[in-house]
Amino acid sequence: MPSTHPPALWASAPARWHGMAAATPSYVTAGDAPKGAVTQVAGAIALAATQTAHPVRAARGEWVTDDQELLARAGSGEVDAILRTLRTDRPHSPGP
């Protein structure tokens, strides 16, 4: 564990990241997904994936600040394949 990060931060980071990862899909499911907002849904999936990858890496003692391979190194590389399948099957009207 790098000396620049206090033990309390290492201990609390996984629960915090998991909490954010669990909340993110709820927001998009309630708001953007029913409207067919594919970009917002894709963004939320990507955000939740990274929020899930961070605690995996933190549990390994790997603090990530800028890692282009964050998802792959955390074992979540399949998210790219999921995002490639997103589409809307129904027309939607713009909101007010």
Side-chain angles (χ1 to χ4, degrees), residues 1 12 14 26 38 43 45 50 72 93 96:
M1 154 179 4
S12 65
S26 297
V38 177
I45 292 169
T50 58
S93 58

Side-chain angles (χ1 to χ4, degrees), residues 8 12 15 17 22 25 35 66 70 73 77 80 85 89 94:
S12 65
W17 281 113
K35 298 174 190 168
D66 184 22
L70 171 65
R73 291 180 187 214
D80 286 333
T85 69
D89 290 308

Side-chain angles (χ1 to χ4, degrees), residues 29-49:
T29 299
D32 297 317
K35 298 174 190 168
V38 177
T39 301
Q40 288 88 337
V41 171
I45 292 169
L47 180 59

